[in-house]
Amino acid sequence: MILKTKGETHNIPEGTLVRVTRYRNKLEDKSYAYIAECDIDIGPYVNKPILTTANINTETIGSRPVVCKMSSTDHLAEDDIVLIGQRGNIRTLYRPQSISNVMFITERCNSNCLMCSQPPMDNDDLDFHYDINSRLISMIPKDCPEITLTGGEPTILGNRLCDLINQIKNELPRTEVHMLTNGRSFAYNKVAERLAQVNNPRLMLGIPLYSDYYQIHDYVVQAKDAFYQTVMGIQNLKRYDIRVEIRVVLHKATIPRLQKLAEFIFKNLPFVDQIVLMGLEITGYTKANLNDLWIDPKDYMDELRNAVNYLAKRKMKVAIYNTPLCLLPLDIWDYARQSISDWKNIYFEECEKCMLINECGGLFESALKRHSNHIKAFKEDPRTTLSGSSEKLLACDAV
Amino acid sequence: MINAVLDSKVYSKNAIIKCLYWYSSNFEISVELDEKGYYNITLKPKSDLPEEEIESIRKKLNQDFQDYNLRDVVAQETKTIRELLIAKAFSHGEFDEDPPGMMEDPLGIKFLE
Amino acid sequence: MDSNILSLRKEFRKFRNLDYYDQSESRQPYSLMPFNFHRINDDLEVLINEVGDFLLVPTGTAGRIINKELDKEYDSSLYADLLSNFFISESAYSPLIDLLATRYRTKKLFLENFTSLHIFVISLRCEHTCHYCQVSRVTQDRSKYDMSREHIDRGIELMMKSPNPNVTMEFQGGEALLAFDNIKYAIGKAQEQAYKYRKNVNYVICTNLALINDEILQFCKLNDVLISTSLDGPKHVHDSNRHKPHASSYELTIQGIKRVKEVLGNDSVSALMTTSKLSLDHPTEIVDEYFNLGFQGIFLRNISPYGFALRTEKNRYLTKEYLDFFKKGLQRIIEINKNERRFVEGLSQILLTKMLTPMNVGFVDMQSPSGIINGVIVFNYDGGIYASDESRMLAEERDFTFKLGHLDETSYDEVFFGDKANKISAVWANESLAGCADCAFQQYCGADPVHNWATQGDLYGYRPTSSFCEKNMEIIRYLFELMATDQDVKEIFESWIRI
């Protein structure tokens, strides 16, 4: 699925946000733009913005707002919100059909994680994105179930981040707000306090913690003192009862001390709202560092199972993301979630034969580059072919 | 009778006293510091004890002297930290630490006020 | 992009290896954080930090750590464990010291709301003649041994003054049900006051169940009253301990338990055993008795050295025999867990929760500062106010050391913050007691000035001969040893902890 395309813009200011439609009558609403096939003669709506793949003559366009010669409009669904940007870039910012909508805060980041899926750019883009996002929030439909704030590192935006979250609270009161952050800024209690003052009860922060041992965490995120800052940050956030989810990406550097990390979390951060253990995405920086990171998920299932069970027995909420069911031991299937954003979610040919394809989260698109050797379709549901349950049973053994 | 001679440069007084506390119900104890800086310690059993038992007590006492000495080292080195810890535990954030290290990205712009 | 920024960026965005993030260079050698250690057996010792986290290590490890002989590379795994568990630090103290402080505060959280358990000795009358009973036996006819209604009112008034939003009102005796009318009155009054003061009150009646009937059961059902009874073990043990003229106390108790479960539900009745000299010979049978009756567990208590118990030769015994009994009982319980179902030993559960979790455990018999006054207060049948159940038993022996006042005349402040309370407070924290101050198990254990006074004649206590100390230290050591040597037992213990 593509989220951006290019065209030739005429008479539309850079940075315009529009909602797209294939129904002319919706053009009564000023926020809409019309996706035209080839004919841009749309009668009474002559001054409304039009998007088209057609190669329209500049003279025909005149002073009308038009984007023509677009590479594609097929990816645009009804009511999608797009940004008409610089140099004819058309970027989809919001899709009502998706449950994984993301609001991009900045490309700046003060960490440099070995496996970063969105490698940072050191451009001062704070104003640019803030301007777009504050307008975008007003356009997002009120029934949007969830929005994820991400980057880079969102807290680099400073106070205006609180303004955005506050705006979301006021304009989208029923929308869950999930913010991905390294949590380091919250080591300053004032920053946590300020966020708490916004008082958005639907806010949850997803904060990565990769080890109980500072040196490993700092190494994974490639930032000195990050571990201490992040843990202090989580503590401060919890002073104000802000919801925190700890995220752990599973790879060669984080697996050896995974159990000790689980113990550290239970003993020191028992108040976190949930812990998410995530399969590795082979994109961004991961590719450059693959040798230091790659481990076939099948090879770490003992560690994963132990950590999951340890936390679950102590009544902590655990979830496993980005890991197909065929790789997981049966006794921890309950924790697996279909977590991969729709636009990068794929299933292999092997998966088409699997009877559990609808329950399984599938793979990242980037898995085509590197993936486990053990992806295998289920011919039978292993949960029903067993008479008793055996903790140590591996799901694929039952197939 | 159990005798022990401990170098005051190696064993602290606190450690010795705390160790001997545990033997004070079964033994009459005397501790003297001589001019050369050695503690001369005697433990006289309050009731008759068989020789094997005295021997095993002697061994345990030796081990205990070392253990209490180690504990004393920790106590000395961490005395202020313990006090700080308790003060923090019963504070309301007045003594909170500043975060260690740097937090900025390459643009170096301070994003925290 | 600015060339300055470009070079900064290049530097910032260069990937570094693990060694680059080593911070130990700044301070060589590492510093120590507060911790203690204890030898478990010849091979193992346990390291315990300031908030009760532990590491089981080979003997001699503590010495190596304290003498700064650890090598970050050679001992890499241990080094990492020590650092992340606050045993050592690579700076003056751990950068996460505020986190550690929060954990310390959490461990003492049981103090936050102050007194919760309020014991009302509703009557001293009793029809049993248990040989270890600390309370003198006064038979049925003398009603001057019942708590008066005025005193009940006043006790409830004090209970409502507790800052704790949750309080427990526990009726004891003698045999509490002999004064059932007064219990009904007391609960009614308390409910009225609870509504007014916005308190949540839990009600418990301690009874031998001989007198249980439908009327009482219906009342309990209606008012959410829990039952606590005594069950010392199988018939021959129980009846030998608790002599009831003309009947079998055991039969009555068993029938009573059955009836209570039928009417009030399976979780409405708990049983407590008391260990007598006879009990010591039957640990497995006692455990089996509780298991077969469907209880969730058993608390292998020792006999308290108070009152009546001390008088009879039958019950003087050495702590060592109790420990032997405890270990046999625990082994049987572990076997049950392995083969049948989860079945918890009560004292171990409390200790294990302190050892294996960051949670606070308010167990009045073993906490620091101690549970007396801070956690429990007793209103006696005659209006006397006592710091704990054991304190009022001492009073039966004419020892009023822990009498804090009288319901007729003493104010709340005088009881809880008066001179006596102040005097006791000087000795109720094990952090400052000789022997305890340097004990590795300090965070798991507690202080019991009442026990010290009763057994040694001194509030402060003398640890070398303290049965409280001897018992607790050995049980804690034993639990560590079991966990270190048997992974299955460790998992069983982990299933017991209260989250």
Side-chain angles (χ1 to χ4, degrees), chain C residues 214-274:
Chain C
D214 286 328
E215 186 210 338
I216 295 173
L217 286 170
Q218 284 310 315
F219 176 83
C220 289
K221 186 165 180 163
L222 217 63
N223 295 284
D224 271 324
V225 181
L226 296 173
I227 302 290
S228 173
T229 190
S230 299
L231 179 64
D232 291 350
K235 187 174 156 86
H236 66 100
V237 174
H238 184 101
D239 281 345
S240 170
N241 284 348
R242 295 166 185 272
H243 187 240
K244 185 171 168 66
H246 321 301
S248 159
S249 172
Y250 173 81
E251 298 295 344
L252 289 165
T253 302
I254 295 300
Q255 278 166 37
I257 290 174
K258 188 159 171 278
R259 254 177 111 180
V260 173
K261 283 191 178 185
E262 273 167 20
V263 180
L264 302 181
N266 272 333
D267 296 327
S268 58
V269 56
S270 61
L272 271 178
M273 66 165 287
T274 325

Side-chain angles (χ1 to χ4, degrees), chain A residues 122 212 214 222 235 257, chain C residues 9 16 81 84 90 102:
Chain A
D122 302 301
D212 64 315
Y214 82 92
Q222 295 280 302
Q235 212 205 172
R257 285 187 79 91
Chain C
R9 173 171 207 230
R16 321 255 182 205
D81 289 348
S84 75
E90 285 176 348
T102 302

Side-chain angles (χ1 to χ4, degrees), chain B residues 5-93:
Chain B
V5 179
L6 299 176
D7 187 346
S8 66
K9 290 194 297 294
V10 177
Y11 293 87
S12 77
K13 186 172 107 178
N14 263 341
I16 293 170
I17 303 295
K18 289 184 180 186
C19 175
L20 291 171
Y21 174 70
W22 291 96
Y23 292 83
S24 55
S25 88
N26 292 327
F27 294 86
E28 278 170 35
I29 302 176
S30 84
V31 181
E32 276 169 29
L33 180 62
D34 69 19
E35 333 79 60
K36 297 208 186 92
Y38 286 84
Y39 286 103
N40 292 301
I41 303 162
T42 37
L43 283 84
K44 179 158 173 256
K46 287 182 184 167
S47 59
D48 282 317
L49 289 174
E51 193 49 47
E52 318 89 65
E53 215 181 305
I54 296 208
E55 189 48 39
S56 88
I57 292 174
R58 187 179 288 123
K59 278 202 180 111
K60 178 151 200 302
L61 181 63
N62 199 33
Q63 203 175 72
D64 282 349
F65 277 135
Q66 291 179 48
D67 287 353
Y68 275 92
N69 207 39
L70 286 171
R71 287 187 188 111
D72 194 59
V73 171
V74 185
Q76 292 305 316
E77 189 174 322
T78 62
K79 182 171 188 292
T80 350
I81 302 172
R82 284 185 95 194
E83 285 166 15
L84 183 60
L85 189 67
I86 312 278
K88 282 170 178 286
F90 295 105
S91 74
H92 295 98

